[in-house]
Amino acid sequence: MNIMNFKIFISLLLCITFSLQAQKTEELTYKKGDILMQLSERVEAEAIAKRYAEHGLRLEKRISKHMNVYLYRFDADACSHDNFLDLLERDDEVIIAQNNHIIRKRQTFPTESVPWPMHNTATDADIDAPEAWDYAIGDSTALGDPIVIAVFDGPFDLSDLDRNYWKNDNEIPDNGIDDDGNGYVDDYEGWNSVFDTDSVSLGVGHGHSVAGRASRINNNGGGTAGLLWNVRVMPIDVFNGSLSLESYVMEAFDYVINERMIYDATNGVDGSFIVSTNHSYGGAGAPSTAPLWCGAYATAGAVGILSAGATLNSYTFVDINNGTPDLPTSCPEDHLITVTQTDNVDEQKTSGYGAIDIDLGSPSEGSTSMATPLVTGSVALLLSAACPSFVTEYKNKPDSMALVIKDYIMRGVDPAADLQGTTVSGGRLNLFNSVALLLSENCGQSFPPIV
């Protein structure tokens, strides 16, 4: 018996043990029969499918060219996920194999028309947006780069004139041609990673509300202000109804990373200057079970993209040490900023906490979904406030300078007693403080010491 046949024989033995109870548990957190694999560059993806054909393994598609990750499906009725993953981990040509986690929106829609989280005259438990607006509104950098933020969510009302939804100016819509040569056909108004199409789901839904909290066309007589003025929001549809999958999120990351890389390579002639992404959703599980999902934040960070992730809308200790881990907010990647929510008196409001895994609080009327876009938008506003030398440094060293921006967000928080010992920073987002830190330490502007 040769080595390969011996491995197949062992794999069949590994899959004999399989309980119906385990199957029931699997379906709660990830899609039955789906496997995500990061492969060695030297192996063909189809060869892996042939190698494990006895388990019904078949290649579905590549979901990330930047991470060389593929989606496979196998016969989960014949072999448990745990046993099959254990088998794949023994394969020298498989770098990572993991389940495809189910994702749910973290949504509770706000009822107030006035966004007190940006300016709270009663208690000052806000992010001091008007003070920050004195220095920048987030639309472009000092070097003229038109700033874009990407919202992974859905649906979006692209016809709403109060939103400044991104358009791909180098793409001719609906002509069936990849006009800009970025590998995506007709991606004029965004991308739908669920169906691999340009057709973003339309409607006044969760994604539309999240996008509006981050950015609106302010000073146009609309009802409610967004944090950013006129910043373009790239709608990335990752949901099919109320649920999503980890693979959809990774495909969405591939699109965003691709656009940013093209922008950098062409010096802004093509692509998009995406600086942050918003993730107001999540799923159950530990980071150790989702290394590819967690790794996607680092891959985006390598090109200068920071991400903000919403934690649970329940009082849950999410630290990986002795807590109940949450995805993605328990992911250890540095380029992910994890967000819990605070109320209008700076107390934590019905959301996850942890001194290791939750970075800071952000004010919200009803959910972590609406708290997180203020952090996503803060990244954009800081870059728009920065002097030319800082922007140049950010472009030359996007990975490390993105972390400098995160550091200003973390150091700029207003301390809050309820967040001491329950978050990394011990405080609630204060955008003006962060702007002052960046400008005083890098751009020669003077501000009173931050108390």
Short mmCIF file of all heavy atoms in Angstrom, two decimals, residues 4 150 154 159 217 234-235 237 272 378 387 414:
data_model
loop_
_atom_site.label_atom_id
_atom_site.label_comp_id
_atom_site.label_asym_id
_atom_site.label_seq_id
_atom_site.Cartn_x
_atom_site.Cartn_y
_atom_site.Cartn_z
N MET A 4 -0.11 7.42 -0.36
CA MET A 4 -1.37 8.10 -0.62
C MET A 4 -2.56 7.20 -0.33
O MET A 4 -3.55 7.62 0.28
CB MET A 4 -1.42 8.58 -2.08
CG MET A 4 -2.64 9.45 -2.38
SD MET A 4 -2.76 10.89 -1.27
CE MET A 4 -1.31 11.80 -1.78
N ALA A 150 -16.07 51.23 2.98
CA ALA A 150 -16.88 50.11 2.48
C ALA A 150 -17.73 49.55 3.61
O ALA A 150 -17.23 49.29 4.71
CB ALA A 150 -15.98 49.02 1.91
N GLY A 154 -26.17 45.03 3.89
CA GLY A 154 -27.26 44.94 2.94
C GLY A 154 -28.59 44.84 3.66
O GLY A 154 -28.64 44.42 4.82
N SER A 159 -31.03 54.68 -4.31
CA SER A 159 -31.72 55.84 -4.89
C SER A 159 -31.86 56.99 -3.91
O SER A 159 -32.30 58.08 -4.29
CB SER A 159 -33.12 55.42 -5.39
OG SER A 159 -33.93 55.03 -4.28
N ILE A 217 -24.83 63.11 2.83
CA ILE A 217 -24.55 64.38 2.16
C ILE A 217 -25.10 65.48 3.07
O ILE A 217 -26.27 65.85 2.99
CB ILE A 217 -25.21 64.42 0.76
CG1 ILE A 217 -24.68 63.26 -0.09
CG2 ILE A 217 -24.92 65.75 0.07
CD1 ILE A 217 -25.32 63.15 -1.44
N MET A 234 -19.06 52.64 -0.25
CA MET A 234 -19.11 51.50 -1.17
C MET A 234 -20.02 50.43 -0.58
O MET A 234 -19.72 49.85 0.46
CB MET A 234 -17.71 50.95 -1.39
CG MET A 234 -17.68 49.73 -2.30
SD MET A 234 -16.00 49.05 -2.47
CE MET A 234 -15.27 50.27 -3.57
N PRO A 235 -21.16 50.14 -1.23
CA PRO A 235 -22.05 49.10 -0.72
C PRO A 235 -21.58 47.71 -1.14
O PRO A 235 -21.50 47.41 -2.33
CB PRO A 235 -23.40 49.45 -1.36
CG PRO A 235 -23.05 50.15 -2.63
CD PRO A 235 -21.72 50.82 -2.42
N ASP A 237 -22.66 43.93 -0.63
CA ASP A 237 -23.76 43.10 -0.14
C ASP A 237 -23.23 41.71 0.22
O ASP A 237 -22.76 40.98 -0.65
CB ASP A 237 -24.83 43.00 -1.22
CG ASP A 237 -26.18 42.59 -0.67
OD1 ASP A 237 -26.19 41.91 0.37
OD2 ASP A 237 -27.21 42.95 -1.25
N SER A 272 -10.08 52.44 -6.02
CA SER A 272 -10.74 53.26 -5.00
C SER A 272 -9.86 53.38 -3.77
O SER A 272 -9.26 52.39 -3.32
CB SER A 272 -12.09 52.65 -4.61
OG SER A 272 -12.92 52.49 -5.74
N SER A 378 -14.55 57.37 11.73
CA SER A 378 -13.46 58.10 12.37
C SER A 378 -12.13 57.89 11.66
O SER A 378 -11.30 58.79 11.56
CB SER A 378 -13.33 57.68 13.84
OG SER A 378 -14.46 58.08 14.58
N CYS A 387 -2.22 66.25 7.73
CA CYS A 387 -1.42 67.09 6.84
C CYS A 387 -0.81 66.23 5.73
O CYS A 387 -0.77 65.00 5.83
CB CYS A 387 -0.32 67.80 7.63
SG CYS A 387 0.67 66.68 8.66
N ASP A 414 -12.56 59.10 25.68
CA ASP A 414 -12.91 59.66 26.98
C ASP A 414 -13.04 58.51 27.97
O ASP A 414 -13.83 57.58 27.74
CB ASP A 414 -14.26 60.40 26.91
CG ASP A 414 -14.13 61.78 26.32
OD1 ASP A 414 -13.02 62.35 26.37
OD2 ASP A 414 -15.14 62.31 25.81
#
